[in-house]
Amino acid sequence: MKLSDEEINRRLTEAPGWRYVNGCLEREFKFADFKTAFAFMTRVAEVAERLNHHPDWSNVYNRVTIRLNTHEVGGLSELDFELAKLIDQSV
Amino acid sequence: MKLSDEEINRRLTEAPGWRYVNGCLEREFKFADFKTAFAFMTRVAEVAERLNHHPDWSNVYNRVTIRLNTHEVGGLSELDFELAKLIDQSV
Protein backbone atom coordinates (compact mmCIF):
# COMPACT_ATOMS: atom_id res chain seq x y z
CA MET A 1 0.00 0.00 0.00
CA LYS A 2 1.30 3.43 -0.95
CA LEU A 3 2.19 5.55 2.05
CA SER A 4 0.88 9.10 2.25
CA ASP A 5 3.31 12.03 2.45
CA GLU A 6 2.19 12.52 6.04
CA GLU A 7 2.98 8.90 6.88
CA ILE A 8 6.33 9.13 5.05
CA ASN A 9 7.37 12.21 7.00
CA ARG A 10 6.39 10.55 10.27
CA ARG A 11 8.43 7.46 9.44
CA LEU A 12 11.43 9.48 8.28
CA THR A 13 11.86 10.70 11.85
CA GLU A 14 12.48 7.06 12.77
CA ALA A 15 14.94 6.53 9.90
CA PRO A 16 17.79 8.97 10.53
CA GLY A 17 20.13 9.39 7.57
CA TRP A 18 17.45 8.62 5.00
CA ARG A 19 15.95 11.36 2.85
CA TYR A 20 12.85 11.44 0.68
CA VAL A 21 14.12 12.42 -2.77
CA ASN A 22 12.27 12.20 -6.10
CA GLY A 23 9.80 9.68 -4.76
CA CYS A 24 12.53 7.50 -3.31
CA LEU A 25 13.98 6.86 0.09
CA GLU A 26 17.68 7.64 -0.34
CA ARG A 27 20.81 7.28 1.74
CA GLU A 28 24.54 7.41 1.04
CA PHE A 29 26.97 5.25 2.94
CA LYS A 30 30.72 5.79 3.11
CA PHE A 31 33.29 3.16 4.04
CA ALA A 32 37.04 2.89 4.51
CA ASP A 33 37.64 1.36 1.07
CA PHE A 34 36.09 -0.62 -1.77
CA LYS A 35 36.47 -3.93 0.01
CA THR A 36 34.40 -2.91 3.04
CA ALA A 37 31.88 -1.09 0.83
CA PHE A 38 31.31 -4.22 -1.24
CA ALA A 39 31.12 -6.45 1.84
CA PHE A 40 28.27 -4.21 3.00
CA MET A 41 26.60 -4.53 -0.42
CA THR A 42 26.83 -8.31 -0.15
CA ARG A 43 24.98 -8.22 3.18
CA VAL A 44 22.35 -5.87 1.75
CA ALA A 45 21.91 -8.12 -1.31
CA GLU A 46 21.07 -11.03 0.99
CA VAL A 47 18.52 -8.97 2.90
CA ALA A 48 16.97 -7.66 -0.35
CA GLU A 49 16.68 -11.16 -1.74
CA ARG A 50 15.10 -12.38 1.49
CA LEU A 51 12.48 -9.59 1.40
CA ASN A 52 12.15 -9.94 -2.38
CA HIS A 53 12.49 -6.17 -2.47
CA HIS A 54 15.48 -4.77 -4.33
CA PRO A 55 17.31 -1.45 -4.19
CA ASP A 56 18.33 0.89 -6.96
CA TRP A 57 21.92 1.39 -5.92
CA SER A 58 25.31 2.54 -7.11
CA ASN A 59 28.85 2.27 -5.90
CA VAL A 60 32.01 4.23 -6.56
CA TYR A 61 35.01 2.94 -4.61
CA ASN A 62 34.09 3.46 -0.92
CA ARG A 63 30.67 5.07 -1.44
CA VAL A 64 27.35 3.30 -1.82
CA THR A 65 24.18 5.23 -2.69
CA ILE A 66 20.91 3.41 -2.13
CA ARG A 67 17.46 4.38 -3.41
CA LEU A 68 14.34 2.54 -2.38
CA ASN A 69 10.81 2.67 -3.70
CA THR A 70 7.97 0.30 -4.51
CA HIS A 71 7.31 0.26 -8.22
CA GLU A 72 3.99 -1.57 -7.77
CA VAL A 73 2.44 1.25 -5.71
CA GLY A 74 4.15 4.13 -7.53
CA GLY A 75 5.74 5.45 -4.38
CA LEU A 76 6.89 4.29 -0.98
CA SER A 77 5.43 1.39 0.93
CA GLU A 78 5.93 -0.19 4.34
CA LEU A 79 8.48 -2.49 2.69
CA ASP A 80 10.83 0.39 1.84
CA PHE A 81 11.10 1.43 5.46
CA GLU A 82 11.51 -2.19 6.50
CA LEU A 83 14.36 -2.63 4.02
CA ALA A 84 15.91 0.71 5.07
CA LYS A 85 16.01 -0.50 8.66
CA LEU A 86 17.64 -3.80 7.72
CA ILE A 87 20.16 -1.95 5.53
CA ASP A 88 21.11 0.26 8.48
CA GLN A 89 21.65 -2.90 10.52
CA SER A 90 23.93 -4.25 7.77
CA VAL A 91 26.51 -1.44 8.05
CA MET B 1 48.96 6.83 -19.44
CA LYS B 2 45.96 8.49 -21.01
CA LEU B 3 44.88 6.88 -24.25
CA SER B 4 44.26 9.09 -27.28
CA ASP B 5 40.83 9.13 -28.97
CA GLU B 6 42.40 7.31 -31.91
CA GLU B 7 43.73 4.60 -29.61
CA ILE B 8 40.37 4.37 -27.77
CA ASN B 9 38.45 3.91 -31.01
CA ARG B 10 40.88 1.22 -32.16
CA ARG B 11 40.50 -0.64 -28.87
CA LEU B 12 36.72 -0.33 -28.85
CA THR B 13 36.62 -2.56 -31.93
CA GLU B 14 38.14 -5.26 -29.72
CA ALA B 15 35.66 -4.62 -26.90
CA PRO B 16 32.21 -5.35 -28.37
CA GLY B 17 29.33 -4.14 -26.21
CA TRP B 18 31.33 -1.32 -24.66
CA ARG B 19 30.72 2.29 -25.64
CA TYR B 20 32.73 5.45 -25.08
CA VAL B 21 30.34 7.80 -23.25
CA ASN B 22 31.18 11.02 -21.39
CA GLY B 23 34.83 10.06 -21.02
CA CYS B 24 33.96 6.61 -19.70
CA LEU B 25 33.91 3.11 -21.07
CA GLU B 26 30.34 1.97 -20.46
CA ARG B 27 28.40 -1.25 -20.76
CA GLU B 28 25.06 -2.52 -19.50
CA PHE B 29 24.56 -6.15 -18.56
CA LYS B 30 21.21 -7.86 -18.14
CA PHE B 31 20.59 -11.05 -16.21
CA ALA B 32 17.70 -13.37 -15.39
CA ASP B 33 17.13 -11.90 -11.95
CA PHE B 34 18.70 -10.02 -9.05
CA LYS B 35 20.46 -13.08 -7.70
CA THR B 36 22.41 -13.77 -10.88
CA ALA B 37 23.09 -10.05 -11.40
CA PHE B 38 24.60 -9.76 -7.94
CA ALA B 39 26.60 -12.98 -8.34
CA PHE B 40 28.17 -11.33 -11.42
CA MET B 41 28.88 -8.18 -9.38
CA THR B 42 30.63 -10.29 -6.75
CA ARG B 43 32.94 -11.75 -9.40
CA VAL B 44 33.62 -8.29 -10.83
CA ALA B 45 34.36 -6.92 -7.34
CA GLU B 46 37.06 -9.57 -6.91
CA VAL B 47 38.63 -8.71 -10.26
CA ALA B 48 38.49 -4.96 -9.50
CA GLU B 49 40.12 -5.48 -6.13
CA ARG B 50 42.83 -7.63 -7.71
CA LEU B 51 43.62 -4.94 -10.32
CA ASN B 52 43.13 -2.20 -7.71
CA HIS B 53 40.97 -0.49 -10.32
CA HIS B 54 37.33 0.05 -9.40
CA PRO B 55 34.20 0.62 -11.47
CA ASP B 56 31.51 3.24 -11.13
CA TRP B 57 28.52 0.96 -11.30
CA SER B 58 24.85 0.69 -10.54
CA ASN B 59 22.31 -2.07 -10.27
CA VAL B 60 18.55 -2.21 -10.50
CA TYR B 61 17.16 -5.72 -10.09
CA ASN B 62 18.56 -7.70 -13.05
CA ARG B 63 20.49 -4.88 -14.72
CA VAL B 64 24.05 -3.79 -14.00
CA THR B 65 25.53 -0.68 -15.61
CA ILE B 66 29.29 -0.33 -15.45
CA ARG B 67 31.38 2.76 -16.18
CA LEU B 68 35.15 2.68 -16.26
CA ASN B 69 37.71 5.44 -16.36
CA THR B 70 41.05 6.30 -14.82
CA HIS B 71 40.73 9.31 -12.58
CA GLU B 72 44.51 9.77 -12.35
CA VAL B 73 44.91 10.37 -16.08
CA GLY B 74 41.61 12.21 -16.58
CA GLY B 75 40.40 9.75 -19.17
CA LEU B 76 40.84 6.17 -20.24
CA SER B 77 43.97 4.12 -19.73
CA GLU B 78 45.14 0.65 -20.64
CA LEU B 79 43.75 -0.52 -17.28
CA ASP B 80 40.16 0.32 -18.26
CA PHE B 81 40.29 -1.95 -21.28
CA GLU B 82 42.00 -4.63 -19.21
CA LEU B 83 39.23 -4.45 -16.59
CA ALA B 84 36.54 -4.39 -19.32
CA LYS B 85 37.93 -7.62 -20.73
CA LEU B 86 37.97 -9.30 -17.32
CA ILE B 87 34.42 -8.07 -16.64
CA ASP B 88 33.26 -9.65 -19.92
CA GLN B 89 34.87 -12.91 -18.81
CA SER B 90 32.96 -12.67 -15.49
CA VAL B 91 29.51 -12.81 -17.10
Side-chain angles (χ1 to χ4, degrees):
Chain A
M1 204 177 69
K2 183 174 174 173
L3 298 176
S4 67
D5 282 352
E6 192 180 34
E7 185 67 8
I8 289 168
N9 284 310
R10 194 188 64 73
R11 283 167 186 261
L12 275 173
T13 64
E14 298 163 6
W18 292 87
R19 299 179 309 153
Y20 183 43
V21 185
N22 296 325
C24 292
L25 206 52
E26 180 177 307
R27 185 170 182 184
E28 185 174 306
F29 297 86
K30 201 172 174 181
F31 298 90
D33 52 25
F34 176 77
K35 202 184 174 84
T36 48
F38 197 78
F40 162 72
M41 290 179 75
T42 303
R43 294 190 293 274
V44 171
E46 280 165 19
V47 168
E49 194 60 11
R50 180 150 53 81
L51 287 188
N52 193 28
H53 192 56
H54 303 89
D56 172 346
W57 55 351
S58 60
N59 159 248
V60 183
Y61 193 58
N62 64 335
R63 284 178 293 126
V64 180
T65 304
I66 303 184
R67 288 178 200 89
L68 307 176
N69 79 341
T70 304
H71 192 72
E72 294 78 3
V73 304
L76 298 188
S77 73
E78 182 82 35
L79 207 48
D80 296 306
F81 283 94
E82 194 181 338
L83 181 52
K85 195 176 180 178
L86 292 169
I87 287 172
D88 287 342
Q89 292 171 0
S90 302
V91 171
Chain B
M1 204 177 67
K2 183 174 176 173
L3 298 176
S4 67
D5 282 354
E6 191 180 36
E7 185 66 7
I8 288 168
N9 284 310
R10 195 188 63 73
R11 284 167 186 259
L12 275 173
T13 64
E14 297 162 9
W18 292 86
R19 299 178 309 153
Y20 183 44
V21 185
N22 297 325
C24 291
L25 206 53
E26 179 178 307
R27 186 170 183 184
E28 186 175 305
F29 297 87
K30 202 172 174 182
F31 298 89
D33 52 26
F34 176 76
K35 202 184 174 82
T36 48
F38 197 78
F40 163 71
M41 290 178 74
T42 303
R43 293 191 294 274
V44 171
E46 281 165 19
V47 168
E49 194 60 9
R50 180 150 50 83
L51 286 188
N52 192 28
H53 193 56
H54 303 90
D56 173 346
W57 54 350
S58 60
N59 159 246
V60 183
Y61 194 57
N62 63 336
R63 283 178 293 126
V64 180
T65 304
I66 303 183
R67 288 179 199 87
L68 308 176
N69 78 341
T70 304
H71 192 72
E72 294 78 2
V73 305
L76 297 188
S77 73
E78 181 81 34
L79 207 49
D80 296 306
F81 283 94
E82 195 180 338
L83 181 53
K85 194 176 180 179
L86 292 169
I87 287 172
D88 287 342
Q89 292 171 0
S90 301
V91 172

Short mmCIF file of all heavy atoms in Angstrom, two decimals, chain A residues 33-35 38 41-46 48-49 52 54-61, chain B residues 33-35 38 41-46 48-49 52 54-61:
data_model
loop_
_atom_site.label_atom_id
_atom_site.label_comp_id
_atom_site.label_asym_id
_atom_site.label_seq_id
_atom_site.Cartn_x
_atom_site.Cartn_y
_atom_site.Cartn_z
N ASP A 33 37.09 1.69 2.40
CA ASP A 33 37.64 1.36 1.07
C ASP A 33 36.61 0.55 0.29
O ASP A 33 35.49 0.31 0.76
CB ASP A 33 38.96 0.60 1.21
CG ASP A 33 38.83 -0.61 2.14
OD1 ASP A 33 37.70 -1.13 2.28
OD2 ASP A 33 39.83 -1.02 2.73
N PHE A 34 37.00 0.14 -0.91
CA PHE A 34 36.09 -0.62 -1.77
C PHE A 34 35.71 -1.95 -1.14
O PHE A 34 34.55 -2.36 -1.18
CB PHE A 34 36.76 -0.87 -3.13
CG PHE A 34 35.95 -1.74 -4.05
CD1 PHE A 34 34.85 -1.23 -4.72
CD2 PHE A 34 36.28 -3.07 -4.24
CE1 PHE A 34 34.09 -2.03 -5.57
CE2 PHE A 34 35.53 -3.88 -5.09
CZ PHE A 34 34.44 -3.36 -5.75
N LYS A 35 36.70 -2.60 -0.55
CA LYS A 35 36.47 -3.93 0.01
C LYS A 35 35.36 -3.93 1.06
O LYS A 35 34.46 -4.77 1.04
CB LYS A 35 37.79 -4.42 0.62
CG LYS A 35 37.93 -5.92 0.77
CD LYS A 35 39.25 -6.24 1.48
CE LYS A 35 39.37 -7.71 1.79
NZ LYS A 35 39.89 -8.48 0.64
N PHE A 38 31.95 -3.10 -0.53
CA PHE A 38 31.31 -4.22 -1.24
C PHE A 38 30.86 -5.32 -0.28
O PHE A 38 29.85 -6.00 -0.54
CB PHE A 38 32.20 -4.79 -2.35
CG PHE A 38 31.40 -5.63 -3.30
CD1 PHE A 38 30.61 -5.03 -4.27
CD2 PHE A 38 31.37 -7.01 -3.18
CE1 PHE A 38 29.82 -5.79 -5.12
CE2 PHE A 38 30.56 -7.78 -4.02
CZ PHE A 38 29.80 -7.17 -4.99
N MET A 41 27.55 -4.27 0.67
CA MET A 41 26.60 -4.53 -0.42
C MET A 41 26.19 -6.00 -0.45
O MET A 41 25.03 -6.32 -0.74
CB MET A 41 27.21 -4.11 -1.77
CG MET A 41 27.36 -2.60 -1.91
SD MET A 41 28.12 -2.09 -3.49
CE MET A 41 26.75 -2.34 -4.65
N THR A 42 27.13 -6.87 -0.16
CA THR A 42 26.83 -8.31 -0.15
C THR A 42 25.80 -8.64 0.93
O THR A 42 24.86 -9.41 0.71
CB THR A 42 28.12 -9.12 0.08
OG1 THR A 42 29.04 -8.77 -0.96
CG2 THR A 42 27.86 -10.61 0.01
N ARG A 43 25.96 -8.00 2.10
CA ARG A 43 24.98 -8.22 3.18
C ARG A 43 23.61 -7.66 2.79
O ARG A 43 22.57 -8.28 3.04
CB ARG A 43 25.48 -7.58 4.49
CG ARG A 43 26.73 -8.24 5.05
CD ARG A 43 27.05 -7.75 6.46
NE ARG A 43 27.44 -6.35 6.53
CZ ARG A 43 28.69 -5.90 6.36
NH1 ARG A 43 29.67 -6.73 6.07
NH2 ARG A 43 28.95 -4.60 6.46
N VAL A 44 23.61 -6.49 2.17
CA VAL A 44 22.35 -5.87 1.75
C VAL A 44 21.67 -6.72 0.67
O VAL A 44 20.45 -6.88 0.67
CB VAL A 44 22.59 -4.43 1.24
CG1 VAL A 44 21.32 -3.86 0.60
CG2 VAL A 44 23.05 -3.53 2.37
N ALA A 45 22.46 -7.28 -0.24
CA ALA A 45 21.91 -8.12 -1.31
C ALA A 45 21.16 -9.32 -0.72
O ALA A 45 20.09 -9.70 -1.20
CB ALA A 45 23.02 -8.59 -2.24
N GLU A 46 21.72 -9.88 0.33
CA GLU A 46 21.07 -11.03 0.99
C GLU A 46 19.73 -10.62 1.61
O GLU A 46 18.73 -11.33 1.50
CB GLU A 46 21.99 -11.62 2.07
CG GLU A 46 23.07 -12.52 1.49
CD GLU A 46 24.19 -12.81 2.48
OE1 GLU A 46 23.99 -12.63 3.70
OE2 GLU A 46 25.28 -13.20 2.03
N ALA A 48 17.88 -8.03 0.74
CA ALA A 48 16.97 -7.66 -0.35
C ALA A 48 16.34 -8.91 -0.97
O ALA A 48 15.14 -8.94 -1.25
CB ALA A 48 17.72 -6.86 -1.41
N GLU A 49 17.16 -9.92 -1.14
CA GLU A 49 16.68 -11.16 -1.74
C GLU A 49 15.69 -11.85 -0.80
O GLU A 49 14.67 -12.37 -1.25
CB GLU A 49 17.89 -12.06 -2.04
CG GLU A 49 17.63 -13.21 -2.94
CD GLU A 49 17.13 -12.86 -4.34
OE1 GLU A 49 17.16 -11.69 -4.74
OE2 GLU A 49 16.68 -13.80 -5.02
N ASN A 52 12.56 -10.07 -0.98
CA ASN A 52 12.15 -9.94 -2.38
C ASN A 52 11.80 -8.49 -2.71
O ASN A 52 10.79 -8.19 -3.35
CB ASN A 52 10.99 -10.87 -2.72
CG ASN A 52 10.77 -10.98 -4.22
OD1 ASN A 52 11.72 -10.81 -5.00
ND2 ASN A 52 9.54 -11.23 -4.65
N HIS A 54 14.11 -5.05 -3.91
CA HIS A 54 15.48 -4.77 -4.33
C HIS A 54 15.77 -3.29 -4.49
O HIS A 54 14.93 -2.54 -4.98
CB HIS A 54 15.77 -5.52 -5.63
CG HIS A 54 15.56 -7.00 -5.51
ND1 HIS A 54 14.33 -7.57 -5.76
CD2 HIS A 54 16.37 -8.00 -5.13
CE1 HIS A 54 14.42 -8.89 -5.55
NE2 HIS A 54 15.64 -9.18 -5.17
N PRO A 55 16.96 -2.87 -4.10
CA PRO A 55 17.31 -1.45 -4.19
C PRO A 55 17.77 -1.04 -5.58
O PRO A 55 18.15 -1.86 -6.39
CB PRO A 55 18.49 -1.34 -3.21
CG PRO A 55 19.17 -2.68 -3.31
CD PRO A 55 18.06 -3.68 -3.51
N ASP A 56 17.69 0.25 -5.81
CA ASP A 56 18.33 0.89 -6.96
C ASP A 56 19.58 1.50 -6.33
O ASP A 56 19.47 2.42 -5.53
CB ASP A 56 17.39 1.98 -7.51
CG ASP A 56 18.05 2.83 -8.59
OD1 ASP A 56 19.28 2.78 -8.74
OD2 ASP A 56 17.31 3.58 -9.24
N TRP A 57 20.74 0.93 -6.63
CA TRP A 57 21.92 1.39 -5.92
C TRP A 57 23.14 1.52 -6.81
O TRP A 57 23.22 0.90 -7.86
CB TRP A 57 22.21 0.52 -4.72
CG TRP A 57 22.35 -0.97 -4.97
CD1 TRP A 57 22.07 -1.64 -6.13
CD2 TRP A 57 22.77 -1.96 -4.02
NE1 TRP A 57 22.30 -2.97 -5.94
CE2 TRP A 57 22.73 -3.20 -4.68
CE3 TRP A 57 23.18 -1.91 -2.69
CZ2 TRP A 57 23.09 -4.39 -4.03
CZ3 TRP A 57 23.52 -3.09 -2.06
CH2 TRP A 57 23.48 -4.31 -2.73
N SER A 58 24.07 2.35 -6.36
CA SER A 58 25.31 2.54 -7.11
C SER A 58 26.48 2.59 -6.15
O SER A 58 26.33 2.86 -4.96
CB SER A 58 25.23 3.82 -7.94
OG SER A 58 25.03 4.93 -7.11
N ASN A 59 27.63 2.30 -6.70
CA ASN A 59 28.85 2.27 -5.90
C ASN A 59 30.00 2.87 -6.69
O ASN A 59 30.17 2.60 -7.87
CB ASN A 59 29.18 0.81 -5.52
CG ASN A 59 30.64 0.58 -5.15
OD1 ASN A 59 31.37 -0.09 -5.86
ND2 ASN A 59 31.09 1.16 -4.05
N VAL A 60 30.75 3.74 -6.02
CA VAL A 60 32.01 4.23 -6.56
C VAL A 60 33.03 4.12 -5.43
O VAL A 60 32.89 4.80 -4.41
CB VAL A 60 31.94 5.69 -7.01
CG1 VAL A 60 33.26 6.13 -7.62
CG2 VAL A 60 30.82 5.90 -8.00
N TYR A 61 33.98 3.23 -5.60
CA TYR A 61 35.01 2.94 -4.61
C TYR A 61 34.44 2.71 -3.21
O TYR A 61 33.88 1.63 -2.97
CB TYR A 61 36.10 4.03 -4.62
CG TYR A 61 37.32 3.59 -3.83
CD1 TYR A 61 38.00 2.43 -4.19
CD2 TYR A 61 37.78 4.30 -2.72
CE1 TYR A 61 39.11 1.99 -3.45
CE2 TYR A 61 38.89 3.87 -1.99
CZ TYR A 61 39.54 2.72 -2.36
OH TYR A 61 40.62 2.28 -1.62
N ASP B 33 17.74 -12.44 -13.17
CA ASP B 33 17.13 -11.90 -11.95
C ASP B 33 18.19 -11.20 -11.09
O ASP B 33 19.36 -11.11 -11.50
CB ASP B 33 16.43 -13.02 -11.15
CG ASP B 33 17.37 -14.20 -10.91
OD1 ASP B 33 18.61 -13.99 -10.89
OD2 ASP B 33 16.88 -15.32 -10.74
N PHE B 34 17.78 -10.72 -9.94
CA PHE B 34 18.70 -10.02 -9.05
C PHE B 34 19.84 -10.93 -8.58
O PHE B 34 21.00 -10.52 -8.53
CB PHE B 34 17.94 -9.49 -7.82
CG PHE B 34 18.82 -8.83 -6.80
CD1 PHE B 34 19.33 -7.55 -7.01
CD2 PHE B 34 19.16 -9.49 -5.63
CE1 PHE B 34 20.16 -6.94 -6.07
CE2 PHE B 34 19.99 -8.88 -4.68
CZ PHE B 34 20.48 -7.61 -4.90
N LYS B 35 19.48 -12.14 -8.26
CA LYS B 35 20.46 -13.08 -7.70
C LYS B 35 21.65 -13.30 -8.66
O LYS B 35 22.80 -13.24 -8.25
CB LYS B 35 19.75 -14.41 -7.42
CG LYS B 35 20.42 -15.30 -6.38
CD LYS B 35 19.65 -16.62 -6.28
CE LYS B 35 20.35 -17.60 -5.37
NZ LYS B 35 20.05 -17.36 -3.96
N PHE B 38 23.70 -10.05 -9.04
CA PHE B 38 24.60 -9.76 -7.94
C PHE B 38 25.75 -10.76 -7.86
O PHE B 38 26.86 -10.41 -7.45
CB PHE B 38 23.87 -9.67 -6.59
CG PHE B 38 24.72 -8.98 -5.57
CD1 PHE B 38 24.84 -7.59 -5.58
CD2 PHE B 38 25.46 -9.70 -4.64
CE1 PHE B 38 25.68 -6.94 -4.68
CE2 PHE B 38 26.30 -9.06 -3.74
CZ PHE B 38 26.41 -7.67 -3.75
N MET B 41 28.23 -9.32 -10.03
CA MET B 41 28.88 -8.18 -9.38
C MET B 41 29.95 -8.66 -8.38
O MET B 41 31.00 -8.03 -8.24
CB MET B 41 27.84 -7.30 -8.67
CG MET B 41 26.95 -6.54 -9.65
SD MET B 41 25.67 -5.53 -8.85
CE MET B 41 26.64 -4.14 -8.22
N THR B 42 29.67 -9.75 -7.72
CA THR B 42 30.63 -10.29 -6.75
C THR B 42 31.92 -10.73 -7.46
O THR B 42 33.02 -10.48 -6.99
CB THR B 42 30.01 -11.48 -5.99
OG1 THR B 42 28.81 -11.02 -5.37
CG2 THR B 42 30.96 -12.02 -4.94
N ARG B 43 31.75 -11.34 -8.64
CA ARG B 43 32.94 -11.75 -9.40
C ARG B 43 33.70 -10.52 -9.90
O ARG B 43 34.93 -10.48 -9.85
CB ARG B 43 32.52 -12.64 -10.59
CG ARG B 43 31.95 -13.99 -10.18
CD ARG B 43 31.78 -14.94 -11.36
NE ARG B 43 30.78 -14.52 -12.33
CZ ARG B 43 29.48 -14.77 -12.25
NH1 ARG B 43 28.99 -15.45 -11.22
NH2 ARG B 43 28.65 -14.37 -13.18
N VAL B 44 32.97 -9.51 -10.34
CA VAL B 44 33.62 -8.29 -10.83
C VAL B 44 34.35 -7.58 -9.68
O VAL B 44 35.45 -7.04 -9.86
CB VAL B 44 32.59 -7.34 -11.49
CG1 VAL B 44 33.20 -5.98 -11.80
CG2 VAL B 44 32.03 -7.98 -12.76
N ALA B 45 33.73 -7.57 -8.50
CA ALA B 45 34.36 -6.92 -7.34
C ALA B 45 35.72 -7.55 -7.03
O ALA B 45 36.68 -6.85 -6.71
CB ALA B 45 33.43 -7.02 -6.12
N GLU B 46 35.79 -8.87 -7.17
CA GLU B 46 37.06 -9.57 -6.91
C GLU B 46 38.12 -9.17 -7.93
O GLU B 46 39.28 -8.93 -7.58
CB GLU B 46 36.85 -11.09 -6.95
CG GLU B 46 36.24 -11.62 -5.66
CD GLU B 46 35.69 -13.03 -5.81
OE1 GLU B 46 36.07 -13.74 -6.76
OE2 GLU B 46 34.84 -13.41 -4.97
N ALA B 48 38.17 -6.38 -9.71
CA ALA B 48 38.49 -4.96 -9.50
C ALA B 48 39.48 -4.80 -8.35
O ALA B 48 40.43 -4.01 -8.43
CB ALA B 48 37.21 -4.18 -9.20
N GLU B 49 39.25 -5.56 -7.29
CA GLU B 49 40.12 -5.48 -6.13
C GLU B 49 41.52 -6.00 -6.48
O GLU B 49 42.53 -5.43 -6.06
CB GLU B 49 39.48 -6.28 -4.98
CG GLU B 49 40.05 -6.06 -3.62
CD GLU B 49 39.97 -4.62 -3.11
OE1 GLU B 49 39.29 -3.77 -3.73
OE2 GLU B 49 40.63 -4.34 -2.09
N ASN B 52 43.19 -3.47 -8.43
CA ASN B 52 43.13 -2.20 -7.71
C ASN B 52 42.63 -1.08 -8.64
O ASN B 52 43.18 0.02 -8.71
CB ASN B 52 44.47 -1.83 -7.08
CG ASN B 52 44.34 -0.68 -6.10
OD1 ASN B 52 43.29 -0.50 -5.49
ND2 ASN B 52 45.39 0.13 -5.96
N HIS B 54 38.72 0.28 -9.81
CA HIS B 54 37.33 0.05 -9.40
C HIS B 54 36.32 0.73 -10.32
O HIS B 54 36.54 1.86 -10.76
CB HIS B 54 37.15 0.50 -7.96
CG HIS B 54 38.10 -0.18 -7.01
ND1 HIS B 54 39.35 0.32 -6.72
CD2 HIS B 54 38.00 -1.34 -6.33
CE1 HIS B 54 39.97 -0.50 -5.89
NE2 HIS B 54 39.18 -1.52 -5.64
N PRO B 55 35.22 0.06 -10.57
CA PRO B 55 34.20 0.62 -11.47
C PRO B 55 33.28 1.61 -10.77
O PRO B 55 33.16 1.62 -9.55
CB PRO B 55 33.40 -0.62 -11.88
CG PRO B 55 33.47 -1.52 -10.69
CD PRO B 55 34.85 -1.29 -10.11
N ASP B 56 32.65 2.43 -11.55
CA ASP B 56 31.51 3.24 -11.13
C ASP B 56 30.33 2.46 -11.68
O ASP B 56 30.15 2.37 -12.90
CB ASP B 56 31.63 4.62 -11.80
CG ASP B 56 30.39 5.50 -11.58
OD1 ASP B 56 29.35 4.98 -11.14
OD2 ASP B 56 30.48 6.69 -11.89
N TRP B 57 29.56 1.85 -10.79
CA TRP B 57 28.52 0.96 -11.30
C TRP B 57 27.23 1.06 -10.51
O TRP B 57 27.22 1.49 -9.36
CB TRP B 57 29.01 -0.48 -11.36
CG TRP B 57 29.58 -1.07 -10.10
CD1 TRP B 57 29.89 -0.41 -8.93
CD2 TRP B 57 29.94 -2.44 -9.88
NE1 TRP B 57 30.41 -1.30 -8.02
CE2 TRP B 57 30.45 -2.55 -8.57
CE3 TRP B 57 29.89 -3.59 -10.68
CZ2 TRP B 57 30.89 -3.75 -8.04
CZ3 TRP B 57 30.33 -4.78 -10.14
CH2 TRP B 57 30.83 -4.86 -8.84
N SER B 58 26.15 0.66 -11.19
CA SER B 58 24.85 0.69 -10.54
C SER B 58 24.08 -0.56 -10.91
O SER B 58 24.36 -1.23 -11.91
CB SER B 58 24.08 1.95 -10.95
OG SER B 58 23.90 1.97 -12.34
N ASN B 59 23.12 -0.87 -10.07
CA ASN B 59 22.31 -2.07 -10.27
C ASN B 59 20.86 -1.77 -9.92
O ASN B 59 20.56 -1.13 -8.91
CB ASN B 59 22.86 -3.20 -9.37
CG ASN B 59 21.83 -4.30 -9.09
OD1 ASN B 59 21.40 -4.48 -7.95
ND2 ASN B 59 21.44 -5.04 -10.11
N VAL B 60 19.98 -2.21 -10.79
CA VAL B 60 18.55 -2.21 -10.50
C VAL B 60 18.04 -3.59 -10.89
O VAL B 60 18.07 -3.95 -12.07
CB VAL B 60 17.77 -1.14 -11.29
CG1 VAL B 60 16.30 -1.16 -10.89
CG2 VAL B 60 18.36 0.22 -11.08
N TYR B 61 17.64 -4.35 -9.91
CA TYR B 61 17.16 -5.72 -10.09
C TYR B 61 18.11 -6.56 -10.96
O TYR B 61 19.15 -6.98 -10.47
CB TYR B 61 15.71 -5.74 -10.60
CG TYR B 61 15.09 -7.11 -10.49
CD1 TYR B 61 15.03 -7.75 -9.25
CD2 TYR B 61 14.63 -7.81 -11.60
CE1 TYR B 61 14.51 -9.04 -9.14
CE2 TYR B 61 14.09 -9.09 -11.49
CZ TYR B 61 14.05 -9.70 -10.26
OH TYR B 61 13.54 -10.97 -10.14
#
